[in-house]
């Protein structure tokens, strides 16, 4: 046999498409495209030295929301001081954060120069202090957090509509940052209370 | 009619295949706790799954309940853990992130059962603060009926 007539047979690659199809389908099925959803929060920095020093906040600027171990929600600010239902919280929080009538018992309004925008009048020094007991139910706590978020989101949406002429959903990142500067989220969570609960 | 040239079909499918291979995360954990996350109206979608680590909190499943009782427990990766183990967990999760730039954006998602008490949640939160993992997500599903 002469070398000249030895031919390498071509590899039959017609089935590679099928093989890769099968692999493709396998990965399509195992891929979970569904993303997690939830409420995002930022925890305060841990600073062991700062534990003792109390930050002085004017009384009108603070609203306390306490959820006790019986899951009752107690709200206290300049105008309200009672046990509420979770559905009421949003409107109470909105009134507190926005202080639309410039009530002297609700957070102080101040001028604030939003970077890249203009000077706005906000209640940026307000604080919502959320306190829970170790036995508080997580779902109730979550509902409270959800209502507070809702209060902020609705205020920001209304502001976007009135000032920028479009809803929050249609705003770009910069415009959202302005709305957030107008209504900054100020939810502070106190250290958990321990009444000598069995651990 | 000329025959359609399908010689590039395998290449095409291969590239789609590679795409799905990249996005697939095989790191599913076997759950040892059962939980139903709460539902809310203001929840957001978490973009970039690679930034998110999960902390599961709930009642142990049937096999473990005999040993551990029905009280809520924390599960990290594949095993039960105490709150103090969270710092180590955060550290390893942070180290496993490939992009140095992304590390400050690491998010911890708490998947906790609605029946959990806040005590265990606050313990977790305190540990997360100590571990400098400050971006927290309370995992929840969207409430269907809008008020």
């Amino acid at each position: 046999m002469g070398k000249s007539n030895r031919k390498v047979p071509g590899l039959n690659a017609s089935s590679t498409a099928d093989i890769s199809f099968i692999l493709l389908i396998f990965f399509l099925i195992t891929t979970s495209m569904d993303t997690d959803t939830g409420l995002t929060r930022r925890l305060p920095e841990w600073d062991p030295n700062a534990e003792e020093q109390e930050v002085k906040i004017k009384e009108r600027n603070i609203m306390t929301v306490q959820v006790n171990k019986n899951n009752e929600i107690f709200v206290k600010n300049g105008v309200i001081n009672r046990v509420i239902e979770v559905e009421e919280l949003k409107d109470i929080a909105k009134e507190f954060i926005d202080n639309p009538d410039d009530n002297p018992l609700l957070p102080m309004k101040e001028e604030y120069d939003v970077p890249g925008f203009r000077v706005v009048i906000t209640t940026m020094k307000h604080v919502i202090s959320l306190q829970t007991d170790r036995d508080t139910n997580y779902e109730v706590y979550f509902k409270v957090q959800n209502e507070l978020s809702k209060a902020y989101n609705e205020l920001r949406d209304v502001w976007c509509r009135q000032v920028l002429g479009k809803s929050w959903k249609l705003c770009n990142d910069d415009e959202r940052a302005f709305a957030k500067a107008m209504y900054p989220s100020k939810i502070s969570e106190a250290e958990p209370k321990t009444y000598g609960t069995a651990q | 009619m000329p025959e359609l040239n399908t010689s590039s079909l395998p290449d095409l499918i291969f590239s789609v295949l590679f795409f799905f291979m990249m996005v697939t995360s095989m790191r599913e954990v076997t759950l040892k706790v059962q939980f139903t996350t709460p539902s809310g109206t203001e929840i957001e979608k978490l973009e970039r799954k690679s930034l998110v680590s999960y902390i599961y909190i709930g009642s142990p499943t049937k096999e473990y309940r005999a040993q551990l009782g029905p009280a809520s427990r924390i599960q990290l990766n594949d095993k039960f853990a105490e709150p103090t183990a969270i710092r180590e967990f955060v550290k390893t999760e942070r180290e496993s992130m490939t992009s140095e730039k992304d590390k400050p954006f690491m998010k911890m998602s708490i998947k906790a059962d609605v029946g959990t008490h806040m005590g265990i949640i606050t313990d977790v939160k305190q540990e997360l603060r100590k571990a400098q993992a400050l971006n927290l997500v309370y995992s929840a599903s969207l409430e269907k009926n809008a008020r």
Side-chain angles (χ1 to χ4, degrees):
Chain A
M1 268 209 264
K3 263 188 179 171
S4 51
N5 45 347
R6 200 192 280 169
K7 239 185 168 182
V8 182
L11 193 66
N12 184 1
S14 58
S15 56
T16 18
D18 302 319
I19 294 168
S20 22
F21 251 129
I22 292 166
L23 283 170
L24 174 62
I25 289 162
F26 169 73
F27 279 101
L28 262 174
I29 291 167
T30 52
T31 303
S32 51
M33 282 291 202
D34 59 345
T35 42
D36 194 27
T37 53
L39 274 184
T40 44
R41 287 283 180 274
R42 178 133 181 114
L43 293 170
E45 296 274 346
W46 178 262
D47 184 0
N49 308 319
E51 292 300 298
E52 259 106 85
Q53 39 181 284
E54 284 273 304
V55 189
K56 281 257 182 281
I57 304 166
K58 276 192 187 147
E59 213 184 328
R60 63 182 284 193
N61 283 340
I62 192 157
M63 168 160 113
T64 30
V65 180
Q66 275 174 313
V67 192
N68 69 9
K69 61 180 174 197
N70 301 322
N71 300 319
E72 292 158 328
I73 304 161
F74 181 78
V75 173
K76 181 171 180 283
N77 64 24
V79 292
I80 193 168
N81 187 0
R82 62 179 172 90
V83 175
I84 60 154
E85 295 296 319
V86 72
E87 288 81 14
E88 296 173 77
L89 181 62
K90 186 195 78 187
D91 291 324
I92 294 168
K94 274 171 85 172
E95 198 196 348
F96 173 79
I97 299 159
D98 197 28
N99 191 5
D101 306 322
D102 212 353
N103 188 330
L105 297 170
L106 291 176
M108 193 159 57
K109 296 214 163 200
E110 289 177 47
E111 287 190 344
Y112 173 58
D113 189 6
V114 180
F117 193 56
R118 56 179 158 85
V119 178
V120 291
I121 294 171
T122 76
T123 55
M124 54 181 291
K125 291 238 171 92
H126 77 269
V127 173
I128 297 176
S129 163
L130 178 54
Q131 294 164 10
T132 53
D133 189 89
R134 286 193 72 87
D135 286 329
T136 302
N137 181 273
Y138 174 62
E139 189 177 21
V140 177
Y141 168 82
F142 183 85
K143 294 280 180 223
V144 167
Q145 286 273 22
N146 186 58
E147 292 300 307
L148 293 177
S149 288
K150 201 181 208 169
Y152 280 111
N153 289 346
E154 286 185 9
L155 285 171
R156 287 171 189 167
D157 186 56
V158 167
W159 185 84
C160 285
R161 280 167 200 273
Q162 283 174 352
V163 180
L164 307 171
K166 51 185 165 182
S167 71
W168 168 263
K169 270 188 185 158
L170 298 174
C171 284
N172 62 29
D173 286 351
D174 282 347
E175 289 161 338
R176 286 186 181 190
F178 299 152
K180 278 186 182 167
M182 182 66 201
Y183 296 111
S185 178
K186 294 282 179 72
I187 303 171
S188 140
E189 291 183 57
E191 302 298 309
K193 286 186 287 179
T194 35
Y195 300 118
T197 33
Q199 294 250 11
Chain B
M1 217 166 108
E3 228 178 282
L4 194 67
N5 184 2
T6 56
S7 59
S8 59
L9 189 64
D11 301 325
L12 267 175
I13 293 164
F14 257 125
S15 31
V16 183
L17 173 65
F18 282 134
F19 168 73
F20 278 101
M21 280 175 75
M22 304 284 262
V23 296
T24 303
S25 58
M26 285 292 205
R27 226 187 56 187
E28 279 289 309
V29 293
T30 40
L31 288 175
K32 291 185 175 175
V33 294
Q34 4 174 284
F35 55 85
T36 328
T37 52
S39 61
T41 52
E42 305 305 307
I43 60 168
E44 297 160 43
K45 264 209 182 105
L46 298 188
E47 317 286 346
R48 313 250 337 251
K49 240 182 160 177
S50 55
L51 297 180
V52 186
S53 307
Y54 299 97
I55 296 170
Y56 306 93
I57 303 170
S59 185
T61 49
K62 270 197 197 113
E63 308 109 81
Y64 301 99
R65 200 167 297 175
Q67 272 174 277
L68 300 165
S72 280
R73 304 283 294 215
I74 303 166
Q75 183 188 343
L76 301 172
N77 289 329
D78 265 341
K79 48 185 186 293
F80 291 108
E82 293 301 315
T84 42
I86 284 175
R87 239 182 286 183
E88 199 55 40
F89 172 70
V90 171
K91 209 174 142 201
T92 47
E93 288 291 305
R94 194 178 276 142
E95 272 161 17
S96 72
M97 288 175 78
T98 41
S99 161
E100 198 66 35
K101 241 191 4 256
D102 283 345
K103 287 187 181 179
F105 299 106
M106 184 171 74
K107 288 195 176 84
M108 306 304 287
S109 175
I110 293 188
K111 282 181 179 284
D113 187 67
V114 285
T116 313
H117 286 180
M118 281 309 289
I120 196 163
I121 311 261
T122 37
D123 288 346
V124 168
K125 275 157 65 179
Q126 291 303 85
E127 290 300 319
L128 287 177
R129 286 178 63 193
K130 287 179 198 167
Q132 298 292 317
L134 301 176
N135 296 318
L136 180 68
V137 181
Y138 299 105
S139 182
S141 57
L142 186 67
E143 202 171 298
K144 287 291 181 297
N145 53 324
R147 273 208 308 271

